[in-house]
Structure formats: structure tokens, C-alpha cells
Amino acid sequence: MEHDFLPDEWQQFYADCVNCRACSLGELRQNAVVYRGALNAPLFILGEGPGEKEDLQGRPFVGRSGHLLDTLLQAIDLPLDQVHIGNIVKCRPPGNRVPTEAEATSCEPLLTRQFDLVKPKIVLLMGATAYKYFTGQSDPITKIRGMWQRHRGMDVMPTFHPAYVLRNNRHRLPLYDDLLAVKKRLESTLLEEKNHEQV
Ligand code: URA
């Protein structure tokens, strides 16, 4: 991918991701997978880690899970210019296994820099791994999905991972409902900000 068009601080960040060897996943990747969507976005959608297609293309959620995510975002009419999509780890774990705690911890400084650049107000955590490594908590996703939490100064919604929904179709509606709740919160947050600016 060509990234000359990115603002300076993003170019530096991107280069640091592409050159990262903080854990052994960096030795195995075809491409570091950093983001897709808007650079500055009020909503950050966070997944687990790249799969095969993402590793080949260098972009997150471009396989079957991504297709479902895009379909749902389109269904609820959530504009992509309000969304930034990334993952807990930027390099594909072999065989698409779950990233280890050590790998997530190695990747954390880059993820923190990414959040500092994107400056989201709301975070959608997709799946148990994103929930665990982002919040440091390990409640079962079935128990806490759809319930707002507050972390690092942001409104955080945990939900099912699209890959899980593809395997268990009965979870499709809850994922849709959670996305809809996120869209509503996004609209009210943006409206509040606008009103605040006008005062
Ligand atoms: N699953 C994820 O968690 N992230 C991706 O980028 C693709 C599939």
C-alpha cells in the first residue's frame, strides 16, 4: 500500500508499524495491518488480529468477517467517514490463532499511539479478545455484550466478533442491535459537541 498521502504523524506511525519487530509475529507477516476507514474518526472499531486476506492486503477486515461488518454498517447507514477500523495486533498470528497476551502487550504502544491519532469518542470492541486486551477484564462476551462501559475516557461497547456470528447465526441480531446502539450514541455525542461549540 502507498501511504505518501498521509499526514506526517501518520506516515511516521505507519512506518513504525511496518518496521515493528517487537514480537515474533513481525517475522512472519506479509504485511502489517494498520487500519482502514477515516484517520480522525469518532468511532474506533477494534477487532482481534489480521487473518490471511488481511495479511495479504495490509488492511483489516477484508475477508468474510469484514464483509459482514460492512454489510451491517451499510444496513444501519453508518457513514464510513466516521469510522476507523483496526485490531489488537497488527500482524497475523499463524493459522489465525488468538494473539497471546505477550503479543498483545508488545503491540499495545502502537495501538495507544493509534488511538491518540484517531481521537475517537466511542469504541466498539468486537469479540472476547478485543474486550480482554483493551479493558484488561475477562467477563464472558455473552454476559457483557451490548452494555456500555467507560475506559480511557471513551464510551466502550463490547459486542460479538463477526466471525463468531458467521458460525452462530442466532447472534446476528444482537450484533446488529449493538451496532445500532453505537450509531445512536455516536449521533447524540456529535450533536452534544456541536451544541457545545455553539455556546
Ligand atoms: N478478524 C479480525 O479480528 N480482524 C481482522 O482484521 C479480520 C478478521
Side-chain angles (χ1 to χ4, degrees):
M1 260 175 108
E2 197 48 66
H3 295 288
D4 292 347
F5 63 90
L6 290 173
D8 287 353
E9 70 273 24
W10 270 97
Q11 285 206 25
Q12 185 57 56
F13 172 65
Y14 217 99
D16 291 346
C17 292
V18 167
N19 295 319
C20 180
R21 292 283 187 282
C23 77
S24 59
L25 298 183
E27 311 297 332
L28 305 169
R29 67 175 172 236
Q30 301 293 318
N31 286 292
V33 174
V34 183
Y35 83 100
R36 74 181 167 94
L39 295 180
N40 282 120
L43 173 61
F44 199 128
I45 298 183
L46 190 62
E48 176 177 312
E52 187 181 12
K53 284 217 165 108
E54 289 78 18
D55 181 48
L56 288 174
Q57 291 187 34
R59 281 155 49 82
F61 285 97
V62 290
R64 285 184 70 222
S65 296
H67 183 68
L68 175 57
L69 175 64
D70 288 349
T71 303
L72 292 173
L73 290 175
Q74 218 170 22
I76 63 166
D77 216 3
L78 206 160
L80 275 179
D81 64 359
Q82 296 188 359
V83 183
H84 182 94
I85 303 175
N87 282 307
I88 289 286
V89 293
K90 293 184 168 45
C91 302
R92 181 190 181 202
N96 297 346
R97 64 160 170 75
V98 174
T100 64
E101 186 146 8
E103 288 158 357
T105 303
S106 301
C107 225
E108 165 66 26
L110 287 173
L111 189 61
T112 299
R113 273 174 70 190
Q114 192 166 357
F115 269 84
D116 289 346
L117 288 167
V118 177
K119 297 185 180 61
K121 304 273 182 254
I122 295 171
V123 186
L124 179 72
L125 299 175
M126 295 199 305
T129 304
Y131 177 70
K132 180 176 164 198
Y133 292 137
F134 187 80
T135 67
Q137 293 165 197
S138 46
D139 319 71
I141 198 79
T142 43
K143 273 209 173 146
I144 43 89
R145 70 132 276 271
M147 292 161 68
W148 287 105
Q149 302 187 6
R150 202 70 196 155
H151 292 278
R152 311 185 198 187
M154 294 170 285
D155 289 335
V156 173
M157 165 74 82
T159 193
F160 294 127
H161 193 289
Y164 181 65
V165 170
L166 286 170
R167 293 193 302 271
N168 304 270
N169 196 42
R170 71 197 161 89
H171 295 311
R172 188 175 290 247
L173 194 57
L175 175 58
Y176 175 86
D177 286 344
D178 294 348
L179 278 165
L180 210 50
V182 163
K183 189 196 172 197
K184 282 191 186 140
R185 178 71 61 108
L186 199 57
E187 283 171 350
S188 57
T189 305
L190 295 178
L191 195 64
E192 259 171 44
E193 265 187 5
K194 210 170 154 190
N195 290 339
H196 197 71
E197 276 165 18
Q198 281 169 358
V199 175

